[in-house]
Amino acid sequence: MNPYGLELTVLRPAMRVYLFVTCLVDTFFPGVGEGMVRVLDRLGVDVEFPAAQTCCGQPAFNSGYREDAQAVAERFISIFGNALQERRDEETYIVCPSGSCTTMLKVFYKELLSNSPIQLNKLALIANKTYEFSEFLVNVMKRADVGASYKGVVTYHDSCHLLRELGVKDEPRRLIEAVRGIEFREMEMHDACCGFGGTFSVKFPRVSVSMLDEKIDCIIGSGADTVISSDMGCLMNIGGALSRRKIPVRVMHLAELLAHTGSEGD
Amino acid sequence: MTYERINFETDSERAVGDEKLQHALVNVTNRFRSARNKASSEVPGWDELRTLAREIKKETIENLDRYLIMLEENVKKAGGHVHWAKDGEEACRIIIEIARKNGVNSVVKSKSMATEEVELNSNLERAGIRAVETDLGEYIIQLAGEHPSHIIAPAVHKTKDDISRLFSEKLGVPYMSDPADLTKVARERMRSEFLSAGMGVSGANFAVAETGTIVIVENEGNARLTTTVPRIHAALMGIEKIIPRYNDLSLFLTLLARSATGQKSSTYVSFITGPRRESDADGPEEFHLVLLDNGRSGILANGETRESLYCIRCGACLNNCPVYRKVGGHSYGWVYSGPIGAIINPQLLGIDKAPELPFASSLCGACRDVCPVKIDFPKVLLELRHEVKETKAETGKGRELFFERLAFRLWRTIVTHERLYGFFSSLMYYVQMPYRGESGGLGSLPYPFSRWTRDRDFPAIAEIPFRERWKELRKEIGEGSTK
Ligand code: SF4
């Protein structure tokens, strides 16, 4: 460790990350994608964005439309498969700022494509290389401190897929705690679902909002001014209620938080 | 028996708005949840035990035919009778026949969801046979003419005041507010019922194939009386409740008690192998075991959802489910509620009777985390969702579904064509303009998005999507610096 708390890891020169930017991030929250690029770039990673990507197919899969989901999944696999092919000899990864979409690729694709051995083969090649953002930083790059600083009191909402499908719980917290100037406070029921659940939130809005109410209470109870999470789905749900009720707590994706340096942050 | 179509949406909305119910649900689920968490953390290797239990269940269900025949043989060997019921109607008929043959006109009942499932009480009544529930919660529900709302706490939705009023109304006793007094009243009523009943009907938590033993787990002691005092005992159980060996019981009893109520062991565990023997001090003269299919073999036939049959009915998934915690048991429309209800109700009743239930979950997976036999709920729910769409089971919502299908087809076309995707997202950027509020978000959108914006703002589409921003970013971070 040097005086700034940065871990002095020597990076292998050609570590490369292909960004798997979810459709939600692309369309609504491009700042999250940008945050991810800035953090990875700061760490000396070579970042690429396979531009043909659109969506992983999760909305259709979760809604029961498997045929539609399959067409989208196959396209997705071929785009990332081709990208990896280009640099097969080097350390290349696919990194995604969403536990949910990473789960779609690593867990649900297997089910979706179970009747197509060829697709499963192709899938195996990319699935092994794919990581959710915080998981990648901590477990692959072995970095908890990524040189970020932020002035504020934050709390963390565990998104369900990241926590329960991918088993990622400590990684985001380690990253948050290493941010300079930050105060981290665990909220009660941090691992309870916020009520988003994709189309669930539209199919059963009353139930969804009732679940969300409990989450909002926990967030307020923590006394944090910022709530961090690793999935924009949850944050759009939580943020939507906070802004509707004019509650002065902001929502921020972990990648945006980690992109903060210097005296940024309020 | 014909069942009504379950209407989760309407029922759940009513439940969410019911403050009294909300209060009761929070209390009971929190209490059970922390008890279960504590109890499970005390057992070393808890997780391995769950895996083992799952494996045993898997093997059992996959060889169900063999184990059922073994069970039948062993029950008969012990002097009992075995009956096979393919559906609820047949199960009721069998039990009514046993009663008739023996001139029974009143029955005491204990510990059975299976009898709820086949609506035994009303069928007995129609046959002129009185049936009285003897477990307190069930008794309350019976008096109120309702269905249970929790697997192990059937009357959780009733407050003390509700029960006091119910008792004074139905039993003609004065209003009393002390739960101990209420229990005493119920107990006194029950005593005479036990003595006059010609037959006891129970469920079974487990049935051991190897020995022909049925096992009943309880805390009140009523099952013990139900199965020993009357001259005849009939047990009704789903065919999936079977456990291969006597030795497996210690594992399942540990998992059940700790997952259900957080107890190390439940207060009473009864092991019943056939009717009373010469040397026995008590017990019924006749023992009948009724094995209920009622849709279970259909679940067995489906390799993708078969694990639904591993369930040991501990109720832990209910207490941990954020949806159940808001909507309560009645929203699931049938005897089984919460996550397990969401997956077995559509399978037992027919998917067209409960097409909403597989969607009544945010797929958070909290249920899987606590299930003592590790049922993979999200996987089963997703499979059932697919089945609903495939079989077009949601017939009640013709137009809405037509548009939903169309929307997903359109979406598929867009996201499989990059240019179209880019065009569409910039188009939507302009379409959203009139909906933008002062905060920058969208405050009120047209149907179906209005279902979101009624209580939440919706984010605005970014003017420059990431794919566009990337072109600039790439220049900034030094294109090909390491290439
Ligand atoms: S599904 Fe699992 S957690 Fe739920 S009641 Fe059955 S055994 Fe218990």
Side-chain angles (χ1 to χ4, degrees), chain A residues 16 26-27 34 38 46 48 51 53-54 62 65 68 164-165 193 201-203 205 208 210 214 237 240 243-244, chain B residues 325-326 362 364 368-369 385 389 404 409 412 415 418 421 443 451 453-454 456-457 462 466-467 469 474 476 482-483:
Chain A
R16 169 179 284 200
D26 177 42
T27 316
E34 179 172 343
R38 297 213 179 275
D46 175 13
E48 260 305 328
Q53 66 177 290
T54 55
N62 281 358
Y65 297 95
D68 296 321
R164 299 204 181 83
E165 298 285 351
C193 179
S201 57
V202 179
K203 265 193 191 322
S208 166
S210 169
E214 209 169 344
N237 191 38
S243 95
R244 172 65 57 92
Chain B
R325 283 160 50 84
K326 295 298 170 195
S362 64
C364 80
R368 181 182 49 199
D369 272 10
R385 287 181 183 191
K389 297 301 173 186
E404 190 187 273
R409 196 42 70 89
R412 164 183 170 173
V415 299
E418 190 193 345
Y421 174 84
R451 297 169 73 100
T453 52
R454 192 162 50 198
R456 292 163 284 203
D457 290 341
F466 180 80
R467 58 192 53 252
R469 205 184 274 196
R474 186 187 200 176
E476 217 183 292
T482 50
K483 262 179 275 177

Short mmCIF file of all heavy atoms in Angstrom, two decimals, chain A residues 16 26-27 34 38 46 48 51 53-54 62 65 68 164-165 193 201-203 205 208 210 214 237 240 243-244, chain B residues 325-326 362 364 368-369 385 389 404 409 412 415 418 421 443 451 453-454 456-457 462 466-467 469 474 476 482-483:
data_model
loop_
_atom_site.label_atom_id
_atom_site.label_comp_id
_atom_site.label_asym_id
_atom_site.label_seq_id
_atom_site.Cartn_x
_atom_site.Cartn_y
_atom_site.Cartn_z
N ARG A 16 -8.11 -7.20 -21.01
CA ARG A 16 -9.13 -6.50 -21.78
C ARG A 16 -10.54 -6.88 -21.31
O ARG A 16 -10.81 -8.03 -21.02
CB ARG A 16 -9.00 -6.83 -23.26
CG ARG A 16 -10.22 -6.34 -24.05
CD ARG A 16 -10.14 -6.61 -25.48
NE ARG A 16 -9.23 -5.69 -26.14
CZ ARG A 16 -9.27 -5.45 -27.45
NH1 ARG A 16 -10.16 -6.05 -28.21
NH2 ARG A 16 -8.42 -4.62 -28.00
N ASP A 26 -27.96 1.43 -21.34
CA ASP A 26 -27.76 2.08 -22.63
C ASP A 26 -28.81 3.17 -22.86
O ASP A 26 -28.50 4.28 -23.23
CB ASP A 26 -27.82 1.04 -23.75
CG ASP A 26 -27.68 1.67 -25.13
OD1 ASP A 26 -26.83 2.57 -25.28
OD2 ASP A 26 -28.43 1.27 -26.05
N THR A 27 -30.05 2.83 -22.62
CA THR A 27 -31.15 3.72 -22.98
C THR A 27 -31.43 4.80 -21.93
O THR A 27 -31.65 5.95 -22.27
CB THR A 27 -32.45 2.90 -23.18
OG1 THR A 27 -32.12 1.74 -23.93
CG2 THR A 27 -33.49 3.70 -23.90
N GLU A 34 -20.62 4.78 -18.54
CA GLU A 34 -19.47 5.66 -18.53
C GLU A 34 -18.65 5.48 -17.26
O GLU A 34 -17.42 5.42 -17.29
CB GLU A 34 -19.92 7.12 -18.66
CG GLU A 34 -18.76 8.08 -18.64
CD GLU A 34 -19.16 9.51 -18.97
OE1 GLU A 34 -20.25 9.71 -19.53
OE2 GLU A 34 -18.36 10.41 -18.65
N ARG A 38 -14.71 4.50 -16.97
CA ARG A 38 -13.72 5.34 -16.30
C ARG A 38 -12.95 4.55 -15.23
O ARG A 38 -11.75 4.68 -15.09
CB ARG A 38 -14.38 6.56 -15.67
CG ARG A 38 -15.01 7.47 -16.70
CD ARG A 38 -14.94 8.94 -16.30
NE ARG A 38 -15.55 9.77 -17.34
CZ ARG A 38 -14.90 10.19 -18.43
NH1 ARG A 38 -13.61 9.90 -18.60
NH2 ARG A 38 -15.52 10.92 -19.35
N ASP A 46 -7.87 -2.37 -20.77
CA ASP A 46 -8.23 -2.00 -22.12
C ASP A 46 -9.71 -2.31 -22.33
O ASP A 46 -10.12 -3.46 -22.23
CB ASP A 46 -7.31 -2.82 -23.04
CG ASP A 46 -7.63 -2.65 -24.49
OD1 ASP A 46 -8.39 -1.74 -24.82
OD2 ASP A 46 -7.13 -3.46 -25.28
N GLU A 48 -13.39 -2.35 -24.34
CA GLU A 48 -14.03 -2.36 -25.66
C GLU A 48 -15.54 -2.49 -25.49
O GLU A 48 -16.01 -3.06 -24.51
CB GLU A 48 -13.52 -3.54 -26.49
CG GLU A 48 -12.45 -3.17 -27.51
CD GLU A 48 -12.88 -2.05 -28.46
OE1 GLU A 48 -14.08 -1.95 -28.78
OE2 GLU A 48 -11.99 -1.26 -28.85
N ALA A 51 -20.37 -3.04 -30.31
CA ALA A 51 -21.46 -2.10 -30.55
C ALA A 51 -22.75 -2.74 -31.05
O ALA A 51 -23.81 -2.13 -30.99
CB ALA A 51 -21.00 -1.02 -31.53
N GLN A 53 -24.36 -5.12 -29.75
CA GLN A 53 -25.20 -5.63 -28.66
C GLN A 53 -26.41 -4.73 -28.42
O GLN A 53 -26.34 -3.52 -28.58
CB GLN A 53 -24.39 -5.76 -27.38
CG GLN A 53 -23.92 -4.43 -26.82
CD GLN A 53 -23.16 -4.60 -25.51
OE1 GLN A 53 -23.71 -4.94 -24.49
NE2 GLN A 53 -21.85 -4.37 -25.56
N THR A 54 -27.51 -5.36 -28.01
CA THR A 54 -28.68 -4.57 -27.66
C THR A 54 -29.24 -4.99 -26.30
O THR A 54 -29.13 -4.27 -25.33
CB THR A 54 -29.80 -4.72 -28.72
OG1 THR A 54 -30.10 -6.11 -28.89
CG2 THR A 54 -29.38 -4.13 -30.05
N ASN A 62 -38.31 -13.87 -18.73
CA ASN A 62 -39.03 -13.79 -17.46
C ASN A 62 -40.53 -13.73 -17.65
O ASN A 62 -41.28 -14.03 -16.72
CB ASN A 62 -38.59 -12.55 -16.68
CG ASN A 62 -37.27 -12.77 -15.98
OD1 ASN A 62 -36.71 -13.87 -16.05
ND2 ASN A 62 -36.77 -11.76 -15.33
N TYR A 65 -42.01 -15.79 -22.64
CA TYR A 65 -41.89 -15.84 -24.11
C TYR A 65 -40.52 -16.37 -24.51
O TYR A 65 -39.63 -15.63 -24.91
CB TYR A 65 -42.14 -14.46 -24.71
CG TYR A 65 -43.54 -13.96 -24.44
CD1 TYR A 65 -43.81 -13.12 -23.36
CD2 TYR A 65 -44.60 -14.36 -25.25
CE1 TYR A 65 -45.10 -12.69 -23.09
CE2 TYR A 65 -45.90 -13.94 -24.99
CZ TYR A 65 -46.13 -13.10 -23.91
OH TYR A 65 -47.40 -12.69 -23.64
N ASP A 68 -39.09 -15.93 -28.28
CA ASP A 68 -38.54 -14.60 -28.54
C ASP A 68 -37.22 -14.42 -27.79
O ASP A 68 -36.25 -13.90 -28.35
CB ASP A 68 -39.53 -13.51 -28.09
CG ASP A 68 -40.82 -13.55 -28.89
OD1 ASP A 68 -40.74 -13.79 -30.11
OD2 ASP A 68 -41.90 -13.37 -28.30
N ARG A 164 -28.40 -13.69 -4.74
CA ARG A 164 -28.84 -15.08 -4.57
C ARG A 164 -28.51 -15.99 -5.74
O ARG A 164 -28.40 -17.19 -5.56
CB ARG A 164 -30.33 -15.13 -4.29
CG ARG A 164 -30.68 -14.40 -3.01
CD ARG A 164 -31.96 -14.87 -2.40
NE ARG A 164 -32.22 -14.09 -1.20
CZ ARG A 164 -32.80 -12.90 -1.22
NH1 ARG A 164 -33.20 -12.37 -2.36
NH2 ARG A 164 -32.99 -12.24 -0.09
N GLU A 165 -28.38 -15.44 -6.93
CA GLU A 165 -28.02 -16.30 -8.05
C GLU A 165 -26.51 -16.34 -8.22
O GLU A 165 -25.95 -17.37 -8.55
CB GLU A 165 -28.67 -15.81 -9.36
CG GLU A 165 -30.19 -15.81 -9.36
CD GLU A 165 -30.82 -17.20 -9.48
OE1 GLU A 165 -30.08 -18.17 -9.74
OE2 GLU A 165 -32.05 -17.30 -9.31
N CYS A 193 -36.10 -7.94 -1.25
CA CYS A 193 -36.42 -7.47 -2.60
C CYS A 193 -37.10 -6.11 -2.55
O CYS A 193 -37.93 -5.85 -1.68
CB CYS A 193 -37.34 -8.48 -3.27
SG CYS A 193 -37.86 -8.02 -4.93
N SER A 201 -43.45 -5.56 -11.50
CA SER A 201 -43.78 -4.23 -10.99
C SER A 201 -44.92 -3.58 -11.75
O SER A 201 -45.55 -2.65 -11.26
CB SER A 201 -42.54 -3.33 -11.05
OG SER A 201 -42.05 -3.27 -12.37
N VAL A 202 -45.16 -4.05 -12.97
CA VAL A 202 -46.25 -3.50 -13.77
C VAL A 202 -47.48 -4.39 -13.70
O VAL A 202 -48.61 -3.93 -13.71
CB VAL A 202 -45.80 -3.29 -15.23
CG1 VAL A 202 -46.94 -2.74 -16.07
CG2 VAL A 202 -44.60 -2.36 -15.30
N LYS A 203 -47.24 -5.70 -13.60
CA LYS A 203 -48.35 -6.64 -13.50
C LYS A 203 -49.10 -6.50 -12.18
O LYS A 203 -50.31 -6.58 -12.14
CB LYS A 203 -47.82 -8.07 -13.62
CG LYS A 203 -47.88 -8.64 -15.02
CD LYS A 203 -47.65 -10.14 -14.94
CE LYS A 203 -47.41 -10.84 -16.22
NZ LYS A 203 -47.99 -10.64 -17.42
N PRO A 205 -48.79 -3.81 -9.58
CA PRO A 205 -48.18 -2.58 -9.06
C PRO A 205 -48.43 -2.35 -7.57
O PRO A 205 -47.55 -1.88 -6.87
CB PRO A 205 -48.80 -1.48 -9.91
CG PRO A 205 -50.01 -2.08 -10.54
CD PRO A 205 -49.75 -3.55 -10.66
N SER A 208 -46.15 -4.59 -5.63
CA SER A 208 -44.79 -4.12 -5.84
C SER A 208 -44.50 -2.88 -5.00
O SER A 208 -43.46 -2.80 -4.32
CB SER A 208 -44.61 -3.82 -7.34
OG SER A 208 -43.45 -3.08 -7.57
N SER A 210 -46.04 -1.88 -2.38
CA SER A 210 -46.09 -2.19 -0.97
C SER A 210 -44.75 -2.78 -0.48
O SER A 210 -44.29 -2.50 0.62
CB SER A 210 -47.26 -3.15 -0.74
OG SER A 210 -47.22 -3.69 0.53
N GLU A 214 -41.58 -0.71 2.16
CA GLU A 214 -40.78 -1.24 3.25
C GLU A 214 -39.29 -0.91 3.01
O GLU A 214 -38.57 -0.55 3.93
CB GLU A 214 -40.98 -2.75 3.33
CG GLU A 214 -40.80 -3.30 4.71
CD GLU A 214 -41.29 -4.76 4.82
OE1 GLU A 214 -42.02 -5.23 3.93
OE2 GLU A 214 -40.90 -5.40 5.80
N ASN A 237 -36.58 1.61 -9.67
CA ASN A 237 -37.77 1.40 -8.85
C ASN A 237 -37.68 2.24 -7.57
O ASN A 237 -38.58 3.02 -7.24
CB ASN A 237 -37.86 -0.09 -8.50
CG ASN A 237 -39.18 -0.48 -7.88
OD1 ASN A 237 -40.23 0.02 -8.25
ND2 ASN A 237 -39.12 -1.38 -6.91
N GLY A 240 -37.56 5.95 -8.36
CA GLY A 240 -38.85 6.44 -8.82
C GLY A 240 -39.76 6.83 -7.67
O GLY A 240 -40.49 7.81 -7.73
N SER A 243 -38.21 9.98 -5.72
CA SER A 243 -38.43 11.26 -6.37
C SER A 243 -39.92 11.64 -6.33
O SER A 243 -40.27 12.79 -6.12
CB SER A 243 -37.87 11.27 -7.78
OG SER A 243 -38.84 10.96 -8.74
N ARG A 244 -40.80 10.63 -6.47
CA ARG A 244 -42.23 10.93 -6.40
C ARG A 244 -42.60 11.50 -5.03
O ARG A 244 -43.43 12.39 -4.89
CB ARG A 244 -43.04 9.68 -6.70
CG ARG A 244 -44.53 9.78 -6.49
CD ARG A 244 -45.20 10.77 -7.44
NE ARG A 244 -44.95 10.48 -8.83
CZ ARG A 244 -45.74 9.73 -9.60
NH1 ARG A 244 -46.83 9.22 -9.09
NH2 ARG A 244 -45.44 9.52 -10.86
N ARG B 325 -45.61 -11.88 2.34
CA ARG B 325 -45.65 -10.98 3.49
C ARG B 325 -46.55 -9.77 3.26
O ARG B 325 -46.95 -9.09 4.19
CB ARG B 325 -44.23 -10.51 3.83
CG ARG B 325 -43.42 -11.57 4.58
CD ARG B 325 -41.92 -11.30 4.49
NE ARG B 325 -41.56 -9.93 4.83
CZ ARG B 325 -41.37 -9.50 6.06
NH1 ARG B 325 -41.50 -10.31 7.07
NH2 ARG B 325 -41.04 -8.25 6.28
N LYS B 326 -46.85 -9.47 2.00
CA LYS B 326 -47.74 -8.36 1.68
C LYS B 326 -49.15 -8.80 1.36
O LYS B 326 -50.11 -8.06 1.60
CB LYS B 326 -47.18 -7.57 0.48
CG LYS B 326 -45.86 -6.89 0.75
CD LYS B 326 -46.00 -5.87 1.84
CE LYS B 326 -44.65 -5.36 2.30
NZ LYS B 326 -44.76 -4.65 3.58
N SER B 362 -41.45 -11.85 -7.59
CA SER B 362 -40.44 -10.98 -8.20
C SER B 362 -39.20 -11.80 -8.54
O SER B 362 -38.20 -11.25 -8.95
CB SER B 362 -40.09 -9.83 -7.26
OG SER B 362 -39.49 -10.34 -6.08
N CYS B 364 -37.18 -13.22 -6.58
CA CYS B 364 -36.04 -12.79 -5.76
C CYS B 364 -35.27 -13.98 -5.21
O CYS B 364 -34.11 -13.87 -4.86
CB CYS B 364 -36.48 -11.86 -4.64
SG CYS B 364 -37.18 -12.71 -3.21
N ARG B 368 -36.05 -19.99 -1.99
CA ARG B 368 -35.08 -21.07 -2.22
C ARG B 368 -34.01 -21.09 -1.13
O ARG B 368 -33.55 -22.14 -0.71
CB ARG B 368 -34.43 -20.87 -3.59
CG ARG B 368 -33.42 -21.94 -3.96
CD ARG B 368 -32.78 -21.66 -5.30
NE ARG B 368 -32.30 -20.28 -5.38
CZ ARG B 368 -32.02 -19.65 -6.51
NH1 ARG B 368 -32.19 -20.27 -7.66
NH2 ARG B 368 -31.58 -18.41 -6.50
N ASP B 369 -33.65 -19.89 -0.67
CA ASP B 369 -32.63 -19.78 0.37
C ASP B 369 -33.02 -20.48 1.67
O ASP B 369 -32.16 -20.91 2.42
CB ASP B 369 -32.38 -18.31 0.71
CG ASP B 369 -31.32 -17.71 -0.19
OD1 ASP B 369 -30.95 -18.38 -1.16
OD2 ASP B 369 -30.88 -16.58 0.10
N ARG B 385 -44.30 -20.14 -16.12
CA ARG B 385 -44.65 -18.94 -16.89
C ARG B 385 -44.65 -19.28 -18.38
O ARG B 385 -45.55 -18.90 -19.13
CB ARG B 385 -43.64 -17.82 -16.64
CG ARG B 385 -43.80 -17.20 -15.28
CD ARG B 385 -42.80 -16.09 -15.04
NE ARG B 385 -42.97 -15.58 -13.68
CZ ARG B 385 -42.40 -14.47 -13.24
NH1 ARG B 385 -41.64 -13.74 -14.03
NH2 ARG B 385 -42.60 -14.07 -11.99
N LYS B 389 -47.84 -19.17 -21.14
CA LYS B 389 -47.85 -18.49 -22.43
C LYS B 389 -48.03 -19.48 -23.58
O LYS B 389 -48.75 -19.23 -24.53
CB LYS B 389 -46.54 -17.72 -22.64
CG LYS B 389 -46.31 -16.63 -21.63
CD LYS B 389 -47.41 -15.59 -21.64
CE LYS B 389 -47.21 -14.60 -20.50
NZ LYS B 389 -48.32 -13.66 -20.38
N GLU B 404 -49.79 -7.97 -25.42
CA GLU B 404 -48.52 -8.33 -24.78
C GLU B 404 -47.67 -9.17 -25.73
O GLU B 404 -46.48 -8.93 -25.92
CB GLU B 404 -48.79 -9.09 -23.47
CG GLU B 404 -47.54 -9.29 -22.64
CD GLU B 404 -47.78 -10.18 -21.44
OE1 GLU B 404 -48.18 -9.67 -20.39
OE2 GLU B 404 -47.53 -11.41 -21.57
N ARG B 409 -43.12 -9.60 -29.59
CA ARG B 409 -42.67 -9.91 -30.94
C ARG B 409 -41.98 -8.68 -31.56
O ARG B 409 -40.92 -8.76 -32.16
CB ARG B 409 -43.89 -10.37 -31.77
CG ARG B 409 -43.54 -11.09 -33.07
CD ARG B 409 -42.41 -12.07 -32.89
NE ARG B 409 -42.73 -13.24 -32.10
CZ ARG B 409 -43.22 -14.37 -32.60
NH1 ARG B 409 -43.44 -14.47 -33.89
NH2 ARG B 409 -43.45 -15.40 -31.82
N ARG B 412 -38.67 -8.13 -29.99
CA ARG B 412 -37.68 -9.07 -30.51
C ARG B 412 -37.13 -8.58 -31.85
O ARG B 412 -35.93 -8.63 -32.09
CB ARG B 412 -38.34 -10.43 -30.68
CG ARG B 412 -37.58 -11.40 -31.56
CD ARG B 412 -38.41 -12.65 -31.68
NE ARG B 412 -37.91 -13.56 -32.69
CZ ARG B 412 -38.41 -14.77 -32.86
NH1 ARG B 412 -39.42 -15.20 -32.11
NH2 ARG B 412 -37.92 -15.56 -33.78
N VAL B 415 -34.74 -5.55 -31.06
CA VAL B 415 -33.44 -5.81 -30.41
C VAL B 415 -32.58 -6.82 -31.18
O VAL B 415 -31.43 -7.04 -30.81
CB VAL B 415 -33.57 -6.26 -28.93
CG1 VAL B 415 -34.23 -5.18 -28.10
CG2 VAL B 415 -34.28 -7.58 -28.80
N GLU B 418 -29.66 -4.02 -34.89
CA GLU B 418 -28.98 -2.92 -34.21
C GLU B 418 -29.45 -1.54 -34.69
O GLU B 418 -29.72 -0.66 -33.88
CB GLU B 418 -27.48 -3.07 -34.45
CG GLU B 418 -26.63 -2.16 -33.61
CD GLU B 418 -25.21 -2.13 -34.12
OE1 GLU B 418 -24.85 -3.03 -34.92
OE2 GLU B 418 -24.47 -1.21 -33.75
N TYR B 421 -32.85 -0.79 -33.49
CA TYR B 421 -32.76 -0.52 -32.05
C TYR B 421 -32.35 0.92 -31.79
O TYR B 421 -32.94 1.63 -30.98
CB TYR B 421 -31.76 -1.51 -31.43
CG TYR B 421 -31.46 -1.28 -29.97
CD1 TYR B 421 -32.28 -1.80 -28.97
CD2 TYR B 421 -30.32 -0.57 -29.58
CE1 TYR B 421 -31.99 -1.61 -27.63
CE2 TYR B 421 -30.02 -0.37 -28.25
CZ TYR B 421 -30.85 -0.89 -27.28
OH TYR B 421 -30.56 -0.70 -25.95
N GLY B 443 -43.71 11.46 -15.05
CA GLY B 443 -44.61 11.38 -13.92
C GLY B 443 -45.90 10.64 -14.19
O GLY B 443 -46.45 10.01 -13.30
N ARG B 451 -49.47 1.89 -14.77
CA ARG B 451 -49.43 1.02 -13.60
C ARG B 451 -48.14 1.23 -12.82
O ARG B 451 -48.05 0.92 -11.65
CB ARG B 451 -49.58 -0.45 -14.03
CG ARG B 451 -50.91 -0.73 -14.69
CD ARG B 451 -50.91 -2.10 -15.32
NE ARG B 451 -50.97 -3.15 -14.32
CZ ARG B 451 -52.08 -3.79 -14.00
NH1 ARG B 451 -53.20 -3.51 -14.62
NH2 ARG B 451 -52.06 -4.74 -13.10
N THR B 453 -46.43 4.38 -13.08
CA THR B 453 -46.33 5.80 -12.70
C THR B 453 -47.39 6.25 -11.71
O THR B 453 -47.37 7.40 -11.28
CB THR B 453 -46.38 6.71 -13.94
OG1 THR B 453 -47.54 6.38 -14.72
CG2 THR B 453 -45.15 6.55 -14.80
N ARG B 454 -48.32 5.36 -11.36
CA ARG B 454 -49.30 5.75 -10.36
C ARG B 454 -48.60 6.12 -9.04
O ARG B 454 -48.97 7.08 -8.38
CB ARG B 454 -50.27 4.60 -10.12
CG ARG B 454 -51.48 4.96 -9.32
CD ARG B 454 -52.56 3.93 -9.51
NE ARG B 454 -52.05 2.57 -9.32
CZ ARG B 454 -52.67 1.47 -9.75
NH1 ARG B 454 -53.80 1.55 -10.39
NH2 ARG B 454 -52.16 0.28 -9.53
N ARG B 456 -44.88 5.84 -8.75
CA ARG B 456 -43.44 6.00 -8.94
C ARG B 456 -43.18 6.82 -10.19
O ARG B 456 -43.92 6.70 -11.16
CB ARG B 456 -42.78 4.62 -9.16
CG ARG B 456 -42.79 3.70 -8.00
CD ARG B 456 -42.51 2.27 -8.43
NE ARG B 456 -43.67 1.68 -9.06
CZ ARG B 456 -43.89 0.35 -9.15
NH1 ARG B 456 -43.01 -0.49 -8.68
NH2 ARG B 456 -44.97 -0.11 -9.75
N ASP B 457 -42.12 7.60 -10.18
CA ASP B 457 -41.69 8.24 -11.43
C ASP B 457 -40.96 7.22 -12.28
O ASP B 457 -40.39 6.26 -11.75
CB ASP B 457 -40.76 9.42 -11.12
CG ASP B 457 -41.51 10.59 -10.47
OD1 ASP B 457 -42.75 10.61 -10.61
OD2 ASP B 457 -40.86 11.43 -9.83
N ALA B 462 -32.39 8.73 -22.06
CA ALA B 462 -31.28 9.66 -22.20
C ALA B 462 -31.21 10.20 -23.62
O ALA B 462 -31.51 9.49 -24.58
CB ALA B 462 -29.98 8.96 -21.83
N PHE B 466 -25.80 5.20 -24.29
CA PHE B 466 -24.40 4.83 -24.08
C PHE B 466 -23.67 4.55 -25.38
O PHE B 466 -22.54 4.95 -25.57
CB PHE B 466 -24.29 3.63 -23.15
CG PHE B 466 -22.86 3.23 -22.92
CD1 PHE B 466 -22.08 3.90 -22.01
CD2 PHE B 466 -22.27 2.21 -23.67
CE1 PHE B 466 -20.75 3.58 -21.82
CE2 PHE B 466 -20.94 1.88 -23.50
CZ PHE B 466 -20.18 2.56 -22.57
N ARG B 467 -24.36 3.85 -26.30
CA ARG B 467 -23.66 3.46 -27.53
C ARG B 467 -23.14 4.67 -28.30
O ARG B 467 -22.12 4.60 -28.98
CB ARG B 467 -24.55 2.59 -28.42
CG ARG B 467 -25.87 3.22 -28.83
CD ARG B 467 -26.81 2.21 -29.45
NE ARG B 467 -26.99 1.07 -28.58
CZ ARG B 467 -26.49 -0.14 -28.81
NH1 ARG B 467 -25.82 -0.39 -29.91
NH2 ARG B 467 -26.68 -1.10 -27.95
N ARG B 469 -22.46 7.68 -26.70
CA ARG B 469 -21.48 8.28 -25.79
C ARG B 469 -20.14 7.53 -25.87
O ARG B 469 -19.07 8.11 -25.71
CB ARG B 469 -22.01 8.25 -24.37
CG ARG B 469 -21.40 9.32 -23.49
CD ARG B 469 -21.86 9.22 -22.09
NE ARG B 469 -23.13 9.91 -21.84
CZ ARG B 469 -23.55 10.21 -20.61
NH1 ARG B 469 -22.84 9.88 -19.57
NH2 ARG B 469 -24.70 10.82 -20.43
N ARG B 474 -14.35 6.65 -26.04
CA ARG B 474 -13.25 5.85 -26.56
C ARG B 474 -12.09 6.74 -26.98
O ARG B 474 -10.92 6.43 -26.74
CB ARG B 474 -13.78 5.05 -27.74
CG ARG B 474 -12.77 4.09 -28.25
CD ARG B 474 -13.30 3.48 -29.50
NE ARG B 474 -12.60 2.25 -29.76
CZ ARG B 474 -12.92 1.46 -30.75
NH1 ARG B 474 -13.93 1.77 -31.54
NH2 ARG B 474 -12.22 0.37 -30.96
N GLU B 476 -11.50 9.64 -25.78
CA GLU B 476 -10.98 10.23 -24.56
C GLU B 476 -10.02 9.31 -23.81
O GLU B 476 -8.98 9.74 -23.33
CB GLU B 476 -12.17 10.53 -23.65
CG GLU B 476 -12.04 11.78 -22.85
CD GLU B 476 -13.24 11.92 -21.96
OE1 GLU B 476 -14.36 12.14 -22.49
OE2 GLU B 476 -13.06 11.79 -20.75
N THR B 482 -3.53 0.41 -25.69
CA THR B 482 -2.80 -0.82 -25.35
C THR B 482 -2.94 -1.85 -26.46
O THR B 482 -2.59 -2.99 -26.28
CB THR B 482 -3.35 -1.41 -24.04
OG1 THR B 482 -4.77 -1.47 -24.15
CG2 THR B 482 -2.96 -0.58 -22.85
N LYS B 483 -3.54 -1.41 -27.56
CA LYS B 483 -3.75 -2.40 -28.62
C LYS B 483 -2.54 -2.48 -29.52
O LYS B 483 -1.85 -1.49 -29.72
CB LYS B 483 -4.98 -2.03 -29.45
CG LYS B 483 -6.18 -2.83 -28.99
CD LYS B 483 -7.41 -2.48 -29.78
CE LYS B 483 -8.08 -1.26 -29.19
NZ LYS B 483 -9.24 -0.81 -29.93
#
